[in-house]
Amino acid sequence: MRSAEDTPNVSSVRWVWLAAVPIVSLFVLSNAATVLYAVWQRDMGFSQSTLTWIFAIYIVGLLASLLIAGPVSDRIGRKPVLLPALALSVAGCVILLFASSVPALLAARLMTGVAVGAVVSCGMAAVADIAGPHRRRLAALLSSSAMVFGSGLGPLFAGLVANTAPDPVTPVFGTVLVLLLASLLIVTRMPLKPQPRREGPLIRLPSVPREQLIHLVLGISVFAPGLSGGSFFLSLGPSLLYEMDRETSTATAGSLVFAAFTAATLVQFAARRTSLPRILTGGSLSTVAGMAALYAAASGNSPSLLFVAAVLIGAGQGAGQFAGFTLLNTAVPAHRLAAANSSLSVGAYLPAAMLSLTAGVISDAAGVAFSAMALAVGLAITAAAGAIGIALIRDRLPRI
């Protein structure tokens, strides 16, 4: 049971939904660049491996932020972390508006990664704080689905603009800038109480209470393979689609990514009343099926199968993400929640970053299709192992 001290604020459902808007806006910023990389590659002339490094620098900033932002937010409050993070995202968005070199892209992506890491940890905790103890599952649903909805909306919007505008960068990031400024206003007005003073170091590694460790491990076992597959679609999915069909438009490439993250969003709402053991098992099996479809698409040069893979992998990511954050939201004390969210995200994003970087290096040496097939085999084995592990301990899983 949580004490009143552990629950900073209980507010209206309207504010619970509004609190998820900054999460959407950060992930729109993060992933709108996906289909615009082709524009920057054409203008700047960088290689596929450079593109992967641009993606990887974002993950570096994200992971560094996750290690710090969550624990700091649990100590000093949500707004003192969220406001600087959003200000940094505004600066990164402005750089992307005027970027004309690879170093500018690297700087903007690093800043974006830092901002997203802060929002993933303490932004999601802020949603839970505002929701209160009786709406913890709703808070997990809204904040988790906000991540994947923003991740899909960004590429779709950018792809549609790039398909019609000769210079898509300006209208895309100009619009995102307005969304980020609106999010700053929302955070300044969030009905959050200050965090009570707590003893201990301000900077420490994120962690979960010992009794919730099994929840964290279960969440990572399903979330990480799905996220790794989703990260492939963000970094190299459009390139694979262009390789399959040279006539592919930027709108179609954006739709590929949107399909993955729309599936990730919808599956969370569909599963909101399903038991967590079923969600975890379903997430693992969906990822396995998605990897099989990805292998078949890459080996058979089939764009239609690539879309099937995107939907299945997205569903696997969404299910694992929702189950993981729900396990933490409903079990971890409020004053440890941001650090717990950071722990889950680090456990999922770190392998995703390593696999995406490896996939980029392999694609330069052997082609994007071969890279996709190698990734599919590895992640299918990992996801299948997770499903087997969940089946073996199914009776001991928490029934939430």
Side-chain angles (χ1 to χ4, degrees):
M1 288 293 290
R2 287 182 175 84
S3 66
E5 182 185 11
D6 285 335
T7 306
N9 195 45
V10 179
S11 189
S12 68
V13 173
R14 177 177 66 89
W15 263 110
V16 181
W17 283 81
L18 281 174
V21 172
I23 302 174
V24 174
S25 67
L26 260 295
F27 278 88
V28 169
L29 169 66
S30 168
N31 297 312
T34 300
V35 295
L36 297 180
Y37 285 136
V39 176
W40 285 316
Q41 272 187 302
R42 181 195 65 207
D43 294 343
M44 301 177 196
F46 54 81
S47 68
Q48 202 66 40
S49 59
T50 299
L51 173 57
T52 310
W53 279 108
I54 293 171
F55 178 78
I57 198 69
Y58 159 79
I59 296 291
V60 169
L62 172 67
L63 291 173
S65 181
L66 285 171
L67 291 173
I68 299 172
V72 170
S73 172
D74 284 337
R75 284 290 309 278
I76 68 174
R78 311 307 183 203
K79 288 186 182 181
V81 175
L82 282 174
L83 290 173
L86 281 166
L88 189 64
S89 72
V90 168
C93 187
V94 171
I95 292 175
L96 288 174
L97 266 171
F98 301 103
S100 58
S101 65
V102 170
L105 292 178
L106 289 169
R109 294 298 287 166
L110 178 63
M111 295 165 73
T112 301
V114 171
V116 170
V119 169
V120 166
S121 54
C122 67
M124 298 182 76
V127 176
D129 289 348
I130 292 172
H134 304 300
R135 300 190 189 115
R136 290 292 183 182
R137 188 151 179 165
L138 172 65
L141 172 63
L142 292 182
S143 54
S144 178
S145 59
M147 288 174 60
V148 290
F149 178 70
S151 296
L153 181 61
L156 178 66
F157 172 62
L160 290 172
V161 173
N163 210 39
T164 56
D167 177 22
V169 173
T170 300
V172 167
F173 290 106
T175 303
V176 175
L177 182 60
V178 173
L179 183 58
L180 292 171
L181 293 173
S183 298
L184 262 172
L185 179 61
I186 289 172
V187 171
T188 60
R189 298 180 62 83
M190 274 185 186
L192 289 166
K193 293 181 180 178
Q195 295 290 99
R197 293 183 62 86
R198 300 186 187 278
E199 300 299 324
L202 179 63
I203 305 295
R204 65 182 189 278
L205 291 176
S207 62
V208 297
R210 185 183 299 273
E211 55 270 24
Q212 277 88 48
L213 184 59
I214 183 61
H215 300 171
L216 176 65
V217 173
L218 287 171
I220 291 174
S221 70
V222 183
F223 184 18
L227 179 64
S228 297
S231 296
F232 171 83
F233 278 99
L234 284 170
S235 59
L236 295 176
S239 297
L240 179 57
L241 187 59
Y242 290 134
E243 188 174 283
M244 291 177 175
D245 181 4
R246 296 294 179 183
E247 302 301 317
T248 295
S249 68
T250 53
T252 304
S255 297
L256 175 68
V257 181
F258 184 71
F261 289 99
T262 298
T265 303
L266 294 178
V267 77
Q268 294 182 65
F269 281 92
R272 65 188 185 279
R273 292 187 177 89
T274 305
S275 69
L276 288 179
R278 288 185 177 181
I279 299 174
L280 287 164
T281 303
S284 291
L285 294 178
S286 181
T287 300
V288 172
M291 293 306 161
L294 176 60
Y295 186 95
S299 61
N301 202 43
S302 171
S304 59
L305 274 179
L306 190 61
F307 274 87
V308 172
V311 170
L312 290 170
I313 292 170
Q317 176 184 340
Q321 180 174 308
F322 174 51
F325 283 114
T326 300
L327 282 165
L328 298 181
N329 265 27
T330 53
V332 176
H335 68 274
R336 297 284 302 276
L337 187 55
N341 288 341
S342 293
S343 299
L344 176 62
S345 299
V346 169
Y349 275 102
L350 184 58
M354 295 173 63
L355 285 171
S356 294
L357 182 58
T358 302
V361 173
I362 293 175
S363 69
D364 266 358
V368 182
F370 181 83
S371 174
M373 289 187 286
L375 182 78
V377 171
L379 288 181
I381 293 171
T382 304
I388 293 170
I390 292 166
L392 291 175
I393 62 170
R394 185 181 182 87
D395 294 338
R396 300 202 303 271
L397 293 179
R399 305 284 170 174
I400 300 173

